Amino acid sequence: LEVIKANDQQIGQIRAYRVKEAGNPAFGGVKDGEDIPNPQSTADFVRRNACAISCPELTFYRSKELLAETGQAVQYLLKIQHSDGTIDLPATNFHSTPDTGFIVKRLTTAYTLLNRSGTPGLETVLPSLKAFLQKAGEALTVGGIHTPNHRWVVSAALTKLNALWPDARYVNRIEQWLAEHIDMDEDGQFNERSTLIYSPLTDRLLITIAKGMNKPELLDYVRRNLAMTLYYIHPNGE
């Protein structure tokens, strides 16, 4: 409950970064700390809104105003989505399959939460969000990656898409990535040696794939990595 209350409070702060001028090409988008509208900040806004709108305990529960802003954000995402289904990470990656995967994984959950909420007016948001996600799915079934963990980012996103709209192409692409095997050494460490970012990220992704694709054997890698991580913790908790 404390987590969702914190989300409720943060939404108020994030709304200040919205592009509110209807004539602005980035209308509906959300800016980052450098005042640049981008898909990552915007998708995060949609995700947070979905949580708030679907939680009866929160002040934004079934909020018409927040749902309207969510719809505007989704329209911005559709506007900046490339014809191949990808989006950009403006700082460095363009037509990026993995960055699209990160967003899809979060927005599939947002779609599910909104759909279950029973909020009046969902017909103004959900079809557009579905269009964005399914178009992104086209890119994820064929696109490449940048780093080892991106294979599991894409696979987890496809797992979530397949749960909503089953597609043999999604499953085939997941199986292609899994056929490369999990990049873990005998100590339980992934190739990207980061206990701060990539280990917990990869663990979460493998859990998503294991649950969604009924592959419990993937959880063995998660357990091995978590056991290894304990050896990196200092007495003070760092």
Side-chain angles (χ1 to χ4, degrees):
L1 184 58
E2 292 304 314
V3 172
I4 59 176
K5 283 184 178 179
N7 181 63
D8 213 32
Q9 295 169 354
Q10 290 165 5
I11 284 174
Q13 301 168 4
I14 295 170
R15 292 172 92 186
Y17 290 89
R18 291 181 59 246
V19 179
K20 306 178 185 68
E21 302 78 24
N24 192 312
F27 173 66
V30 178
K31 297 176 286 186
D32 59 19
E34 282 70 46
D35 211 35
I36 300 173
N38 66 89
Q40 288 73 29
S41 299
T42 306
D44 182 67
F45 181 63
V46 173
R47 176 182 62 86
R48 288 179 178 275
N49 290 354
C51 293
I53 290 170
S54 63
C55 287
E57 301 89 348
L58 301 185
T59 56
F60 289 113
Y61 180 57
R62 292 185 174 179
S63 166
K64 292 181 180 179
E65 183 179 9
L66 199 61
L67 184 66
E69 293 177 7
T70 303
Q72 293 164 6
V74 172
Q75 290 302 319
Y76 169 74
L77 289 174
L78 278 171
K79 182 177 181 179
I80 63 172
Q81 186 176 32
H82 296 298
S83 59
D84 62 6
T86 59
I87 52 89
D88 297 333
L89 175 64
T92 182
N93 299 332
F94 305 96
H95 287 264
S96 173
T97 304
D99 288 294
T100 304
F102 277 114
I103 283 181
V104 167
K105 185 176 182 294
R106 296 162 187 157
L107 290 188
T108 46
T109 300
Y111 182 95
T112 300
L113 288 173
L114 288 172
N115 195 33
R116 290 176 181 174
S117 72
T119 304
L122 282 175
E123 68 279 358
T124 64
V125 177
L126 288 184
S128 296
L129 183 53
K130 178 180 179 179
F132 175 86
L133 290 169
Q134 290 190 317
K135 188 174 180 180
E138 295 298 311
L140 299 181
T141 59
V142 295
I145 46 90
H146 307 146
T147 68
N149 80 83
H150 287 168
R151 294 171 295 171
W152 321 132
V153 171
V154 171
S155 296
L158 287 170
T159 298
K160 301 284 278 185
L161 281 174
N162 193 63
L164 288 173
W165 305 289
D167 190 322
R169 296 175 305 154
Y170 298 161
V171 176
N172 290 340
R173 190 57 166 166
I174 294 167
E175 296 291 356
Q176 284 181 319
W177 287 124
L178 289 175
E180 296 192 359
H181 305 297
I182 309 301
D183 51 307
M184 176 174 282
D185 64 21
E186 61 185 11
D187 294 322
Q189 177 66 282
F190 298 110
N191 277 354
E192 293 169 285
R193 299 171 181 272
S194 168
T195 56
L196 176 64
I197 299 176
Y198 296 119
S199 285
L201 169 64
T202 301
D203 288 339
R204 293 195 300 272
L205 297 170
L206 292 180
I207 290 171
T208 296
I209 301 166
K211 292 173 65 177
M213 299 299 295
N214 191 27
K215 293 182 178 294
E217 63 274 13
L218 295 178
L219 298 177
D220 292 337
Y221 294 97
V222 177
R223 294 187 184 97
R224 287 174 57 192
N225 181 255
L226 291 175
M228 178 219 70
T229 300
L230 290 174
Y231 288 93
Y232 287 86
I233 299 176
H234 296 281
N236 67 351
E238 292 182 355

